[in-house]
Amino acid sequence: MALPEHLQRHLEAGRSLAAAGGYRGRFAPSPTGLLHLGNLQTALLSWLAARQAGGAWLLRIDDLDTPRNRAGAIEAIQSDLRWLGLTWDGPVLLQSERRGIYHSWLSWLRRSGLLFACRCSRRELADQPIYPGFCRKAAHNWGWQRQRLPSWRLRVADDDPHGSGDVVLRRADGFIAYQLATVIDELSFGINDVVRGADLREALPAQRSFFAALGEAPPRFRHGPLLCDASGQKLSKREASAGLKPLRDAGLDAAAVIGRLASGLQLVAPEARLSATELLEHLTQPAINAVIS
């Protein structure tokens, strides 16, 4: 089935941005609370990669999972980034303002026969690293059954080289899935290089499978290290959850925090003090790329 004209326009706009040349990256936090130090380390690394390449760096807020959003978090994210000197290009992109686009994609995918209704519970799939296809051949009842809706899965080819299994694009609670919104946004905004935390490496197969199903090339996905302590051990979620406030309350300024984050990435010596711009001038692209895999 042919892609509707308005969705085709979104793709063409993204292709034009990407074809214009140059690096187009983004940072995409969820407003579930304050940015923790791991988020800030990833933001710094993503910003450095974009700016060293002379490219654009967009700020996207992944706020579709509304029950988990926290009041004031979007404003706090922007304030923290500005305080650190990590400025972005263009307006802030809110996924919540793009729900109509995501639902249009879902509607087209469903009419094209690329989706199927899945009623498997999390318990049924708990020991399955890849979705085993239980509902692939079931009757496509998209409505309520036993007081619950189905999730909507992308029918991924059996010979898919990415090994993702069938990807959830709409959750059983009715929310747009992370994988769909992320892929559509990368295409719509011409994102060609993504630097994110290593914890999102597990999302890569599903996203690559969805790009392939759409016949579109994915960005280059790269992953920065997780936040570690001085001995190289990954911080616990509780240790990493403290954001900028404790550091600022202790009297640290932006230069001290940038130095601490960059030292954690082994880009500068411990106790270094420098602004984000000074750090950028200090580094070469190979030095930044050496931290990303």
Side-chain angles (χ1 to χ4, degrees):
M1 180 180 293
L3 191 64
E5 183 178 347
H6 71 290
L7 297 182
Q8 187 65 45
R9 285 199 303 270
H10 282 282
L11 285 185
E12 290 173 355
R15 290 176 189 141
S16 296
L17 289 169
Y23 185 110
R24 288 184 63 81
R26 51 76 169 172
F27 177 56
S30 297
T32 55
L34 299 176
L35 290 177
H36 61 65
L37 296 182
N39 298 141
L40 294 170
Q41 178 177 278
T42 298
L44 175 61
L45 187 55
S46 175
W47 182 86
L48 287 169
R51 296 307 188 218
Q52 183 63 41
W57 192 66
L58 309 185
L59 176 59
R60 189 184 81 212
I61 304 295
D62 290 1
D63 59 342
L64 288 175
D65 198 350
T66 49
R68 298 180 64 236
N69 294 343
R70 294 294 176 265
I74 294 176
E75 294 77 13
I77 288 169
Q78 296 176 68
S79 177
D80 284 353
L81 293 175
R82 287 195 186 100
W83 187 78
L84 288 171
L86 305 180
T87 55
W88 56 91
D89 298 298
V92 177
L93 308 173
L94 300 177
Q95 287 192 328
S96 59
E97 296 179 351
R98 293 173 49 77
R99 286 193 181 96
I101 294 170
Y102 306 140
H103 281 292
S104 291
W105 274 100
L106 276 174
S107 178
W108 175 76
L109 289 163
R110 178 175 156 179
R111 294 195 311 272
S112 299
L114 297 174
L115 303 182
F116 65 91
C118 175
R119 297 188 179 275
C120 297
S121 67
R122 290 187 178 182
R123 180 179 299 178
E124 290 172 312
L125 301 177
D127 298 325
Q128 304 286 344
I130 298 176
Y131 179 70
F134 292 149
C135 295
R136 269 189 160 212
K137 296 182 180 179
H140 292 323
N141 185 331
W142 304 92
W144 291 87
Q145 285 186 4
R146 293 174 292 179
Q147 298 185 318
R148 65 190 303 266
L149 290 168
S151 61
W152 295 11
R153 287 186 181 269
L154 176 71
R155 192 184 304 275
V156 175
D158 292 335
D159 59 353
D160 174 60
H162 308 300
S164 68
D166 298 320
V167 181
V168 173
L169 297 185
R170 199 205 73 167
R171 296 170 7 190
D173 58 9
F175 284 95
I176 299 293
Y178 166 76
Q179 310 294 11
L180 180 135
T182 293
V183 167
I184 296 306
D185 284 349
E186 313 297 26
L187 292 172
S188 297
F189 297 107
I191 302 300
N192 53 28
D193 205 303
V194 173
V195 175
R196 56 190 183 180
D199 53 328
L200 285 172
R201 197 185 298 275
E202 64 185 23
L204 197 51
Q207 290 169 6
R208 283 179 168 162
S209 292
F210 188 25
F211 277 109
L214 296 176
E216 299 290 333
R220 176 172 63 163
F221 285 101
R222 298 183 292 165
H223 300 84
L226 299 179
L227 188 64
C228 296
D229 60 21
S231 65
Q233 297 297 311
K234 176 187 172 184
L235 291 184
S236 69
K237 186 172 182 180
R238 181 175 181 179
E239 290 173 316
S241 64
L244 287 178
K245 187 177 186 303
L247 300 180
R248 296 179 69 170
D249 289 347
L252 274 68
D253 61 6
V257 175
I258 290 291
R260 178 175 294 194
L261 295 172
S263 174
L265 291 166
Q266 300 184 340
L267 293 173
V268 298
E271 307 304 323
R273 279 180 45 82
L274 67 178
S275 69
T277 301
E278 290 169 338
L279 176 61
L280 180 62
E281 294 171 349
H282 171 78
L283 296 173
T284 63
Q285 193 72 48
I288 297 170
N289 288 341
V291 185
I292 311 169
S293 61

